[in-house]
Amino acid sequence: MRRTELVVIAAVLLVNVWLLGLMLLGRDLPATITQHISTRLSPSSRQGVEYTYRAHQEPEKDIPKVDLGRHGVDDHVGDGMNDGGEDTRKGNTQEKKISEAHEPSQQDVENWLSLLSQDGPSMTMEVEVWGKAAIASYYQEHIMQIALRNTDKWQEGEVVCTGGDKHRKKLQFKYMTGPAVHQSTINNQVENVVLVLNGHNDEKIPTASAWLSHLATLPRLKNAGLIVLGEEDCSNHWLERFLNDPLYKIRFAFLVYGGKWVNNKRVFQWPLGVATYRSFPATIPLDRALAPRAALAPAQLARRKYLCNFQATLYPGSSREVLLRVLQESGLGRQCYINARSEWMPNETPTSASSYRDTLLSSDYTLAPVGLNTECYRLYEAAACGSIPIVEDVVQPLSCGKNPLQLLKEYNAPFIFVKTWEELPGILHKESQRSAEEMLTRRRQLIDWYTFFKSKMKSHFCNVVAETFVTHGLE
């Protein structure tokens, strides 16, 4: 027999013995379960747990109920049980209880064991997260909101969340990052790990591959997951052998620039996020994000200094050149801030990074033409600053297959999407007619949406970890 079958059989036998003992002692099963759960899931010990049961009351509104089978707690609400747990119904003898006993189903067993150990050690899964890429900072600061502390080796921090639909699990993530996080220094006895890697180009892929190869050397490893900055053309062929080989125990992968790889079953899209290498802050004060001068009257702060901004590197023959021409020929260049440069600058100075943020905070709209890929940092940076993105909605490059904006659209990003920049003058003319109240409302909606989006990505990540890691743990 498989190990799983043996465990289930043993659990069934144990529960049967337990049930029989309770019945022979004249104890009524539902009251016993209720009392035990009430103790185990007291308000002080119920962090992250979403189930509450009481002996003689209907469950609280909006709190999901677990089907406990024929011996479930809710089966006996109002059925003749008094507050002392005694049966007040006539003719209900011990023999009758025994004769009505049935062999619990596997689902009964799983539900009972899950509830009885809800706050126990077995219900908390420890997961280490090793950050070896700049996108790890976006994961740590902006999505998971992990506060870091310095150690003698590296920076580390913890966060707890509850995830999973079918397999509910409390997850404790221990995050570590820094140059000292190396194959020779990390915990080689780890059982569950998530790697955050940079596989963006030929220079970064060898290091990312070395980390993935190291997974096969971890003697106690049960589950591995990935967050990877992929290649902008969405090819990511270097990942294939690691994902397909069970030796590496990779249960899921979140990919930036995932393209055709994304199936929402094992491979999921991850947002590019903000450029943390430019020290873009995790939070921007609300009064700054809503308007540059929040102390002024609504009619005055409704409009920012610039109608729009265009800050980008110009690639020859790209739509960015088309956008620059449209701005100049339409006269919008007099109302919009333009900073078009011929070469990409990977390392901003503190002054240039601050100027970039101030421009976003001073613009009603941020223009986001495609670059090497449709998705870019400024989409998320503009949202954080309350500057509505106007986004070129095309698949770039075509090798990605799927629209890189798909994730943002799934979460109903309140952006303006255009197919060609020739549409821009008409759009901005219409937008400029909005009232002060409308502008403030739209700005607030954008900021609230971005907060919501990050929260949903955190929940999504926790759910995927719980479902995939727990499922493989049951095999």
Side-chain angles (χ1 to χ4, degrees):
M1 288 186 176
R2 295 177 61 186
R3 186 177 65 177
T4 304
E5 295 172 342
L6 291 174
V7 170
V8 171
I9 292 173
V12 171
L13 291 174
L14 285 173
V15 173
N16 273 322
V17 170
W18 178 55
L19 292 174
L20 185 59
L22 292 176
M23 293 174 181
L24 290 174
L25 291 173
R27 302 280 297 280
D28 191 276
L29 176 63
T32 304
I33 293 178
T34 306
Q35 183 179 7
H36 191 84
I37 294 173
S38 177
T39 301
R40 300 280 285 179
L41 300 185
S42 62
S44 63
S45 65
R46 203 157 39 87
Q47 182 179 2
V49 179
E50 299 182 358
Y51 304 109
T52 301
Y53 292 89
R54 296 182 178 139
H56 305 293
Q57 302 178 28
E58 290 294 332
E60 295 177 323
K61 291 183 178 179
D62 299 325
I63 296 182
K65 294 167 60 178
V66 174
D67 180 11
L68 298 179
R70 281 171 280 178
H71 285 311
V73 173
D74 292 315
D75 293 342
H76 290 270
V77 174
D79 65 354
M81 300 293 294
N82 65 21
D83 288 339
E86 299 170 344
D87 194 339
T88 59
R89 295 169 296 184
K90 295 182 180 180
N92 208 0
T93 64
Q94 179 175 310
E95 290 76 17
K96 183 177 180 181
K97 290 180 184 177
I98 295 175
S99 67
E100 290 178 349
H102 72 289
E103 180 174 318
S105 67
Q106 180 178 343
Q107 187 62 49
D108 291 338
V109 174
E110 290 177 356
N111 285 331
W112 291 332
L113 295 181
S114 174
L115 286 168
L116 293 176
S117 61
Q118 194 70 263
D119 64 343
S122 64
M123 285 305 294
T124 300
M125 175 179 283
E126 295 182 356
V127 181
E128 293 194 11
V129 183
W130 303 338
K132 296 303 299 178
I135 60 166
S137 297
Y138 185 68
Y139 163 87
Q140 166 253 320
E141 280 189 90
H142 298 247
I143 302 294
M144 302 300 287
Q145 298 180 329
I146 305 172
L148 293 182
R149 59 182 179 274
N150 292 316
T151 70
D152 57 348
K153 291 183 178 181
W154 47 58
Q155 290 184 306
E156 64 180 31
E158 292 84 26
V159 69
V160 175
C161 66
T162 302
D165 297 320
K166 182 178 180 182
H167 301 287
R168 201 73 180 156
K169 198 76 171 179
K170 184 178 179 182
L171 304 165
Q172 181 171 5
F173 293 101
K174 181 179 180 181
Y175 174 84
M176 55 197 72
T177 188
V181 177
H182 187 267
Q183 289 95 324
S184 62
T185 60
I186 46 85
N187 174 20
N188 281 320
Q189 299 302 308
V190 68
E191 294 185 354
N192 305 293
V193 66
V194 175
L195 279 167
V196 188
L197 302 172
N198 186 346
H200 185 239
N201 53 42
D202 292 340
E203 179 185 352
K204 303 294 185 181
I205 288 173
T207 301
S209 297
W211 274 100
L212 294 180
S213 296
H214 186 66
L215 293 175
T217 70
L218 302 176
R220 299 186 62 186
L221 184 66
K222 295 180 180 178
N223 301 291
L226 305 178
I227 300 176
V228 179
L229 175 60
E231 298 170 276
E232 284 186 285
D233 65 0
C234 304
S235 57
N236 304 313
H237 295 307
W238 64 277
L239 263 177
E240 190 168 3
R241 69 183 181 94
F242 296 105
L243 292 176
N244 291 340
D245 193 336
L247 178 67
Y248 303 102
K249 299 178 181 178
I250 298 173
R251 312 307 184 196
F252 67 83
F254 282 95
L255 287 182
V256 179
Y257 306 136
K260 297 176 182 178
W261 288 76
V262 175
N263 56 22
N264 291 322
K265 295 179 180 178
R266 190 180 176 214
V267 180
F268 306 86
Q269 187 175 351
W270 189 257
L272 176 62
V274 303
T276 55
Y277 70 86
R278 286 196 293 240
S279 300
F280 197 91
T283 57
I284 291 179
L286 184 60
D287 60 338
R288 290 207 69 197
L290 281 176
R293 301 178 299 279
L296 300 180
Q300 292 173 285
L301 72 91
R303 290 294 173 189
R304 293 180 165 182
K305 181 178 180 180
Y306 304 111
L307 175 61
C308 69
N309 75 84
F310 172 43
Q311 304 180 81
T313 303
L314 290 180
Y315 299 115
S318 70
S319 64
R320 296 182 177 193
E321 291 187 330
V322 174
L323 172 56
L324 181 60
R325 175 181 58 78
V326 169
L327 288 171
Q328 293 170 340
E329 292 179 355
S330 65
L332 288 170
R334 293 189 295 272
Q335 299 172 270
C336 298
Y337 177 87
I338 300 175
N339 179 18
R341 54 197 183 195
S342 58
E343 294 184 4
W344 179 59
M345 294 175 57
N347 298 314
E348 300 277 359
T349 66
T351 300
S352 63
S354 177
S355 175
Y356 170 77
R357 289 194 300 273
D358 288 343
T359 301
L360 295 179
L361 289 163
S362 300
S363 303
D364 284 331
Y365 303 91
T366 291
L367 308 181
V370 301
L372 299 179
N373 190 286
T374 306
E375 188 180 19
C376 59
Y377 293 121
R378 73 174 60 84
L379 300 179
Y380 305 92
E381 294 164 344
C385 292
S387 182
I388 300 168
I390 300 180
V391 186
E392 187 176 3
D393 185 11
V394 298
V395 177
Q396 170 69 16
L398 293 176
S399 56
C400 285
K402 293 185 178 180
N403 192 332
L405 302 174
Q406 187 60 38
L407 182 66
L408 294 171
K409 290 186 175 183
E410 287 177 3
Y411 286 98
N412 299 314
F415 300 172
I416 297 173
F417 298 95
V418 299
K419 290 298 183 181
T420 171
W421 289 112
E422 304 291 348
E423 303 173 45
L424 183 64
I427 289 173
L428 286 180
H429 175 73
K430 181 179 179 180
E431 291 293 318
S432 65
Q433 305 304 309
R434 292 185 179 275
S435 68
E437 291 75 13
E438 286 180 305
M439 289 303 302
L440 288 173
T441 297
R442 293 192 72 188
R443 201 169 293 153
R444 184 59 185 258
Q445 287 174 341
L446 177 64
I447 295 167
D448 289 346
W449 171 85
Y450 186 52
T451 301
F452 158 82
F453 174 76
K454 291 185 290 184
S455 174
K456 294 298 290 184
M457 289 309 302
K458 177 180 179 179
S459 298
H460 183 35
F461 175 77
C462 292
N463 284 336
V464 170
V465 173
E467 288 295 329
T468 58
F469 281 16
V470 174
T471 297
H472 284 86
L474 294 176
E475 291 180 348

